[in-house]
Amino acid sequence: MDKFLEIAKFLINTNTVNFIIMVLILGYLVKKMNLGKSFEQGIDSVKALISKSDDAKSTSKKHFDEAQALINGLPKDIKTLENNSAEKIDIFKAKISDNTKKAITNIAANVEKSVSIEEKKISNLLTEQTSKDAILQTKTNLEEMLAKNPELHNKFIENSIKELDKAEL
């Protein structure tokens, strides 16, 4: 029994009994307050949060990879756009040049037509004026000839009558 007393003294002096009592009280409180279930709910909640976090992390990683792929392909896309733009610029230059040449050709043709029309108008005006002047001069000359030589008047009338007789009605 001495040994038992020595062990009891040792336990009392080392706070082992206090620790055992404290563990028993905590165990009782955990059972009584249903803290185990609360701990399990907390653990489940933490697991759910970790799962959501992992899902969000994988989604973010996926978006990051997609964005990284876009960024990595950006120089190639820029070169493609530059090449396409250069081709389109060349096409537009060619079209503008062609349209300009056509417009110049059309303008030149229209100018030539206008000049030709104006020349014809002027020519017609000159011809008309010359014809009027010639007719007036002829009339004046005929009047002078008839005034100087009245026989010509009679001869003209006879010739006109002969010409009318030749005409068939």
Side-chain angles (χ1 to χ4, degrees):
M1 196 96 127
D2 276 337
K3 273 216 177 225
F4 180 69
L5 284 175
E6 271 183 44
I7 293 175
K9 242 185 193 183
F10 175 75
L11 288 175
I12 292 172
N13 287 336
T14 60
N15 286 331
T16 306
V17 173
N18 290 338
F19 178 74
I20 293 172
I21 292 172
M22 186 62 101
V23 169
L24 289 175
I25 292 173
L26 278 175
Y28 175 73
L29 287 175
V30 167
K31 259 188 176 177
K32 192 69 171 168
M33 298 176 104
N34 210 3
L35 289 178
K37 189 174 182 182
S38 295
F39 286 146
E40 284 182 27
Q41 287 176 347
I43 290 169
D44 290 342
S45 172
V46 169
K47 284 181 181 178
L49 286 173
I50 290 171
S51 175
K52 283 183 185 178
S53 175
D54 288 342
D55 291 344
K57 179 182 175 185
S58 67
T59 303
S60 296
K61 175 72 172 145
K62 181 181 172 186
H63 289 303
F64 174 76
D65 291 342
E66 290 172 357
Q68 190 66 38
L70 285 174
I71 288 172
N72 291 340
L74 197 56
K76 182 181 175 185
D77 292 342
I78 290 172
K79 283 194 177 199
T80 302
L81 287 174
E82 286 175 350
N83 291 338
N84 290 344
S85 296
E87 290 173 8
K88 287 180 181 179
I89 287 171
D90 291 341
I91 290 170
F92 285 139
K93 282 181 183 178
K95 283 185 179 180
I96 289 171
S97 177
D98 289 345
N99 289 341
T100 304
K101 287 178 184 176
K102 287 178 183 177
I104 290 170
T105 304
N106 288 340
I107 290 171
N110 289 339
V111 167
E112 286 180 23
K113 286 179 185 177
S114 295
V115 167
S116 176
I117 290 170
E118 290 300 318
E119 285 176 349
K120 287 179 182 177
K121 283 182 182 178
I122 291 170
S123 176
N124 287 340
L125 288 173
L126 289 175
T127 304
E128 183 181 336
Q129 188 62 39
T130 304
S131 297
K132 285 180 183 178
D133 289 344
I135 291 172
L136 285 174
Q137 185 64 41
T138 304
K139 180 183 171 190
T140 305
N141 289 343
L142 283 174
E143 286 175 350
E144 284 179 10
M145 282 176 60
L146 290 174
K148 288 180 183 177
N149 195 355
E151 289 178 17
L152 290 176
H153 184 58
N154 292 335
K155 194 174 183 183
F156 176 71
I157 292 173
E158 285 177 19
N159 285 339
S160 296
I161 291 172
K162 285 181 187 175
E163 288 297 320
L164 285 174
D165 287 339
K166 286 181 186 178
E168 292 182 25
L169 298 176

